[in-house]
Amino acid sequence: MRAVEASGLRGRGGSGFPTARKMSAVAQGGRRPVVVANGTEGEPASAKDKLLLQSAPHLVLDGMVLAAEAVGARRAIICVEETARRAWLSVEAAIDERRAIGLDPIGIELAASPSGYVVGEESALVHWLNGGPAKPTFVPPRPFEKGVGGRPTLVQNVETLAHLALLARFGPDWFREIGTPGHTGSTLITMSGEVARPGVYEIAPGTSIAHTIASSGGAADDVRAVLVGGYAGRWLDAEHSLRLGLSDDQLRPVGASLGAGVVVVLSRRGCGLAETTRIARYLAGESSGQCGPCVNGLAAIARALDQVHRGEGGPDTLATLQRWATDVAGRGACHHPDGAARMVASALEVFSADVDWHGRHRRCWAEPVRPDLVSSAPPRSR
Amino acid sequence: MMETAGRRRNMRLVVNPITCEGHGLCAELLPEWVRLDDWGYPIVNPDPVPPELKDHARRAVAACPTLALLVRLD
Ligand code: SF4
Ligand code: SF4
């Protein structure tokens, strides 16, 4: 645990929470903890967790066993979406191999979790493991206090656990050799949108956005904006941001974070409003339907955005949109509405010229981006 | 000493958004601290409830039909 702290490892699932702090909270919970490896990847623009499970399952399983030993857990469960066939089969085979030679002091359970945007949210996953629906619960208590079977539960993203396994092998100094002071160790990111070679890349945190786009084959046309952090992330305009480094500490000053390591590229051919409308509609549809502000707010936001995009919104539509984006933030049981609101608010800022243009000309000038940004995520490993 | 320290704890109102059904009763009973959004769900002032409103706040909490309005002390 001391090595984890010295390494500066932070969660790779989206929140970027210091791993050591989470581990020690769980270890001090009083009861024997449970370790859960979170391999659900609800974000459609992300593919790194599935790729990792498919190509290096033992690394993740090593990390789980190490984490279990560190916090004193005797139960470890790995959750993989049942629809991620290849990842699932690969993990299953790896568990069998380990069992056959008696490698691990504890047995590892494999759970086939449902798919969905909010399923991977910690409390939703724990709720589901406890026999409930895979929907977030109202916290506190948080899973680290009272999780699976009422025990303190360490939920860690699978990439985080893979890093844990590597740093156990090579030490915290080795781990810190790559990255920035606030974002140590290498990071997996999924590049999508209008780049020549969409896919999963391992980068050193701090690598510029421009460089990362070049490494993924370059953009289809002049880059206009990038969506950083996933569908609940933030749009950044190309002019001011392509030189920014992809790391949480370098993105924080512009209000962004790497999230689960997602970058979506929009070129000059596309329309930011059209893509944002599509994403907002998707996010509204992924609400787990439990909280009024999320259910009503996100649907209303998506409808209003559609109006603005079609040039049918009046001058107050925009003001209403901004008010709603502020209103829904922080009012769900989970952070789903916050992320959606952040994404929409950033789009209204970055694409403000388009908003004017659409309002005046009552149409969209852009060629539809093909394939749609929303569905152009790299092929899922199914 | 202990007692006064206990009394000085901040009282905040929170809503359990899963159980809240948007009846709006809380906004009626405590308009100084709760307003409703465009869909009738409460937006609660996140600041500590001022002393003169504490009794009203407790009354609103007790009146919520789904027990979704909660007091949190910090
Ligand atoms: S905020 Fe939305 S997604 Fe989260 S629990 Fe509530 S309804 Fe579900
Ligand atoms: S009274 Fe209770 S159920 Fe009704 S709006 Fe207020 S918190 Fe929600």
Side-chain angles (χ1 to χ4, degrees):
Chain A
M1 231 135 79
R2 231 170 292 132
V4 179
E5 175 147 29
S7 75
L9 174 63
R10 284 168 180 267
R12 301 290 203 248
S15 72
F17 194 79
T19 304
R21 222 192 294 160
K22 215 168 172 184
M23 287 172 81
S24 71
V26 167
Q28 285 158 18
R31 297 182 65 189
R32 193 171 279 287
V34 176
V35 168
V36 172
N38 190 353
T40 63
E41 193 169 39
E43 164 71 51
S46 179
K48 53 115 179 159
D49 289 340
K50 286 180 198 74
L51 183 71
L52 182 66
L53 289 169
Q54 194 186 309
S55 52
H58 283 293
L59 207 53
V60 176
L61 299 173
D62 283 350
M64 282 177 82
V65 173
L66 285 162
E69 275 175 0
V71 301
R74 277 202 206 123
R75 212 180 151 197
I77 310 163
I78 180 164
C79 298
V80 181
E81 285 163 68
E82 58 190 350
T83 48
R85 282 300 291 163
R86 282 203 243 154
W88 210 88
L89 291 173
S90 170
V91 172
E92 192 181 37
I95 291 176
D96 285 346
E97 283 164 24
R98 300 166 82 95
R99 205 172 280 150
I101 58 168
L103 185 65
D104 299 324
I106 53 166
I108 296 175
E109 300 161 45
L110 173 59
S113 54
S115 305
Y117 194 83
V118 296
V119 171
E121 200 270 341
E122 276 193 9
S123 75
L125 199 59
V126 166
H127 199 202
W128 177 75
L129 284 167
N130 282 335
K135 294 180 177 189
T137 53
F138 183 58
V139 287
R142 301 215 56 101
F144 76 82
E145 299 161 326
K146 199 164 179 279
V148 175
R151 292 174 179 277
T153 300
L154 180 73
V155 183
Q156 289 290 5
N157 163 267
V158 289
E159 186 196 339
T160 315
L161 291 165
H163 285 298
L164 189 74
L166 289 172
L167 93 84
R169 244 174 256 175
F170 304 115
D173 293 337
W174 167 86
F175 190 80
R176 277 184 175 276
E177 271 169 26
I178 280 186
T180 63
H183 198 144
T184 53
S186 73
T187 266
L188 293 177
I189 60 161
T190 314
M191 293 291 296
S192 67
E194 298 179 275
V195 286
R197 290 193 305 270
V200 177
Y201 293 83
E202 183 173 13
I203 64 158
T207 307
S208 75
I209 297 178
H211 189 270
T212 314
I213 291 174
S215 314
S216 47
D221 201 337
D222 276 355
V223 177
R224 228 176 128 215
V226 282
L227 177 64
V228 175
Y231 287 6
R234 195 173 225 294
W235 284 105
L236 300 173
D237 76 289
E239 199 189 327
H240 298 104
S241 62
L242 287 190
R243 256 171 290 151
L244 277 178
L246 284 173
S247 70
D248 280 338
D249 44 352
Q250 289 176 38
L251 290 169
R252 201 171 304 119
V254 295
S257 79
L258 211 40
V262 169
V263 178
V264 186
V265 177
L266 178 74
S267 85
R268 217 164 277 288
R269 302 185 307 180
C271 171
L273 272 180
E275 301 311 325
T276 301
T277 303
R278 254 197 287 262
I279 297 173
R281 205 181 294 139
Y282 170 84
L283 292 176
E286 289 296 312
S287 160
S288 75
Q290 305 190 100
C291 315
C294 177
V295 176
N296 298 294
L298 299 194
I301 286 173
R303 274 196 304 271
L305 262 175
D306 194 38
Q307 281 185 343
V308 173
H309 166 239
R310 285 186 284 118
E312 288 164 13
D316 15 316
T317 317
L318 201 63
T320 307
L321 255 174
Q322 266 146 354
R323 181 165 55 84
W324 284 344
T326 315
D327 266 5
V328 301
R331 291 185 47 234
C334 76
H335 293 304
H336 186 54
D338 317 12
R342 179 174 48 229
M343 191 280 295
V344 169
S346 74
L348 295 179
E349 236 176 271
V350 169
F351 305 122
S352 64
D354 304 56
V355 172
D356 283 354
W357 202 96
H358 284 68
R360 262 184 286 131
H361 300 273
R362 305 198 156 258
R363 67 186 186 88
C364 182
W365 53 270
E367 311 166 22
V369 174
R370 285 290 173 261
D372 296 345
L373 284 195
V374 169
S375 56
S376 70
R380 297 276 198 112
S381 358
R382 282 192 172 143
Chain B
M1 190 62 200
M2 282 298 285
E3 247 191 312
T4 46
R7 279 207 196 110
R8 266 199 220 113
R9 291 172 76 187
N10 283 324
M11 173 189 189
R12 290 176 212 267
L13 290 180
V14 282
V15 176
N16 177 342
I18 295 180
T19 48
C20 169
E21 285 174 2
H23 301 289
L25 199 60
C26 48
E28 241 167 75
L29 293 173
L30 199 64
E32 304 89 338
W33 222 244
V34 184
R35 65 184 174 100
L36 298 180
D37 67 14
D38 289 3
W39 308 281
Y41 288 85
I43 302 179
V44 174
N45 186 331
D47 296 336
V49 179
E52 66 275 15
L53 276 183
K54 282 189 175 173
D55 282 343
H56 288 285
R58 278 192 206 96
R59 235 167 280 151
V61 166
C64 170
T66 61
L67 306 180
L69 190 64
L70 306 164
V71 163
R72 221 165 248 176
L73 299 172
D74 54 41

